[in-house]
């Protein structure tokens, strides 16, 4: 039997991938937009719907970076509302472990799991960004070196809370008048370097026991954290070879954590552009890339590497001859994934621009544009299936460039072809997200941090 493909839908709206200026683009905040994308994904039998999170508006040169789509409603509130208008679709949210507490987030996710009938998922992220931390009481206190240490202990503590109610704790025996099978359900105690908490958890065991844990980290620490604690990991590897290397590396780490290869799913983020012919799809993809990277956006993205005010440069002109400024404060704040070695990256970009005759805007499109599958529906279905069957991925999270109708073509034209290949479901056979992903029932685990 061929591997079955996992499909997830990302609601866009936190960066320039989203073409908010397109006439077909709708609101990033109106609930109807969330409903449309979620119901389209469920019509296409997708595994889950995914929301990213932005805890502070990005700034550049002291101004809000308004060429990105700014503003994001609260993740958990949106997911809880979507639980009422969907029946099978998993509901996944990015929720920061730096500025929350295990007890608080464990209650919220367990509640979402109850309300949705077992469809909740948590994408675990942390930040050492003091700029974002200014929005919170304690500020950006977390040292970068402690990010994954805190994340691992946070997940351990939340799992301990979720497991604190026995499966048979709620009896509800009307004849005897007895509601609980034990006097103290929810008792917990967790004592570690990051958290020291004890008490009674208030939410009875939820349908999945553990909501699905997602993680997005490409560093060695991020990969190890995923191998130890996550049910799925996102990646950004766009080529078959890079995907296969990432797949082999992450899956090889599972054994030392007592886990099997199928216990962790690898789901890269991808974009899809469809056309009646390959030439039409390529032309459409070119148009979308130029929408995503306007002249203003190209200069702002170049500034993030150069760390200088480049507003006087021609977007269609050559790259600056001066090197990036690595001595001063960052010109851009609130954006993750800055370049580790700006001078070396600038040198690579200059070489690429000279070899291909690219100006600033076309260079930015070349290095930052991400369109993974471009072609006819038949070509896209074939390539996606090849990625999965070649162990470069277990599935994909689709990142449309339009809200809310960016998935419509894919669901109508590509999903039926994947079903014909017998690599994607023709109906939901389970009710929980764990069942959709082929993870099986969650098993209670002993906490990895000393507890009482």
């Amino acid at each position: 039997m061929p591997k079955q493909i996992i499909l997830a839908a990302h609601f866009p709206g936190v960066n320039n991938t989203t073409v908010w200026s397109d006439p077909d683009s709708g609101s990033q905040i109106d609930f109807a937009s969330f409903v449309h994308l979620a119901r389209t994904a469920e019509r296409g039998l997708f595994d889950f719907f995914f929301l990213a999170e932005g805890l502070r508006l990005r700034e550049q040169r002291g101004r809000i970076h308004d060429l990105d789509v700014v503003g994001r409603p609260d993740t958990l509130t949106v997911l809880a509302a979507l639980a009422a208008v969907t029946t099978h679709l998993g509901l996944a949210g990015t929720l920061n472990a730096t500025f929350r507490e295990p007890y608080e987030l464990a209650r919220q996710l367990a509640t979402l799991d109850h309300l949705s009938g077992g469809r909740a998922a948590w994408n675990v992220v942390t930040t050492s960004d003091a700029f974002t931390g200014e929005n919170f009481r304690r500020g950006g206190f977390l040292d970068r070196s402690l990010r994954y240490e805190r994340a691992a202990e946070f997940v351990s503590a939340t799992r301990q809370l979720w497991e604190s109610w026995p499966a048979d704790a709620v009896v509800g025996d009307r004849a005897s008048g007895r509601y609980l099978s034990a006097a103290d359900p929810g008792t917990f105690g967790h004592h570690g370097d990051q958290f020291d908490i004890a008490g009674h958890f208030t939410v009875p065991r939820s349908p999945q026991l553990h909501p699905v844990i997602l993680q997005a980290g490409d560093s060695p620490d991020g990969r190890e954290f995923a191998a130890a604690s996550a049910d799925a990991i996102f990646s950004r590897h766009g080529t078959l070879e890079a995907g296969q290397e990432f797949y082999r590396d992450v899956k090889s780490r599972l054994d030392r954590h007592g886990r099997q290869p199928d216990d962790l799913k690898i789901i890269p983020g991808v974009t899809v552009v469809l056309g009646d012919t390959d030439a039409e799809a390529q032309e459409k993809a070119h148009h979308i890339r130029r929408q995503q990277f306007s002249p203003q956006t190209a200069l702002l993205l170049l500034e993030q590497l150069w760390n200088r005010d480049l507003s006087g440069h021609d977007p269609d002109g050559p790259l600056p001859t001066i090197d990036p400024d690595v001595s001063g404060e960052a010109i851009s704040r609130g954006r993750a994934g800055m370049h580790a070695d700006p001078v070396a990256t600038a040198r690579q970009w200059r070489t690429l621009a000279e070899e291909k005759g690219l100006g600033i805007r076309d260079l930015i499109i070349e290095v930052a544009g991400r369109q993974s599958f471009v072609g006819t529906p038949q070509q896209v279905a074939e390539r996606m299936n090849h990625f999965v069957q070649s162990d470069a991925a277990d599935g994909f999270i689709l990142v449309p460039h339009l809200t809310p109708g960016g998935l419509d073509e894919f669901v109508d034209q590509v999903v039926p072809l994947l079903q014909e290949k017998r690599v994607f479901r023709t109906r939901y056979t389970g009710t929980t997200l764990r069942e959709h992903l082929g993870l099986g029932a969650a098993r209670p685990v002993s906490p990895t941090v000393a507890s009482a």
Side-chain angles (χ1 to χ4, degrees), residues 382-406:
E382 184 61 39
R383 291 169 189 164
M384 294 181 87
N385 186 42
H386 182 58
F387 255 71
V388 172
Q389 305 310 326
S390 300
D391 287 343
D394 291 312
F396 307 97
I397 179 165
L398 274 67
V399 186
H401 74 283
L402 290 179
T403 301

Side-chain angles (χ1 to χ4, degrees), residues 73-135:
D74 179 71
T75 296
L76 282 164
T77 306
V78 172
L79 295 180
L82 289 176
V85 296
T86 55
T87 57
H88 288 82
L89 187 69
L91 302 168
T94 299
L95 300 161
N96 196 297
T98 300
F99 305 114
R100 290 181 171 86
E101 295 295 326
Y103 185 86
E104 167 201 32
L105 190 54
R107 288 185 74 244
Q108 292 167 331
L109 286 167
T111 300
L112 178 62
D113 207 45
H114 277 292
L115 292 177
S116 65
R119 296 185 280 139
W122 169 29
N123 180 35
V124 184
V125 296
T126 64
T127 180
S128 59
D129 180 8
F131 172 71
T132 300
E134 290 172 0
N135 276 352

Side-chain angles (χ1 to χ4, degrees), residues 90 122 157 189 260 321 447:
W122 169 29
Q260 300 299 313
T321 55

Side-chain angles (χ1 to χ4, degrees), residues 230-245:
D231 298 305
I233 182 172
F234 300 141
S235 73
R236 295 176 59 89
H237 301 283
T239 68
L240 180 70
E241 294 75 18
Q244 288 173 324
E245 187 284 324

Side-chain angles (χ1 to χ4, degrees), residues 287-344:
H287 174 67
I288 292 169
R289 281 194 293 269
R290 298 194 74 78
Q291 285 183 301
Q292 291 171 327
F293 299 96
S294 67
Q296 306 97 308
T297 296
L299 285 177
L300 287 174
L301 292 175
L302 195 69
E303 285 183 349
Q304 290 170 12
L305 174 62
W306 254 260
N307 203 35
R308 298 178 185 276
D309 183 349
L310 303 177
S311 57
H313 281 66
D314 179 0
D316 295 316
L319 270 66
T321 55
I322 190 172
D323 280 338
D325 178 7
V326 296
S327 62
E329 183 179 345
I331 198 172
S332 176
R333 303 202 297 169
R335 178 184 286 272
M338 295 294 99
H339 306 277
D341 188 341
V343 174

Side-chain angles (χ1 to χ4, degrees), residues 361-376:
R361 185 183 182 192
D362 287 331
L363 182 278
I364 292 296
I365 290 173
E366 180 79 13
V367 298
R370 180 179 62 174
Q371 286 172 330
S372 312
F373 298 105
V374 179
T376 66

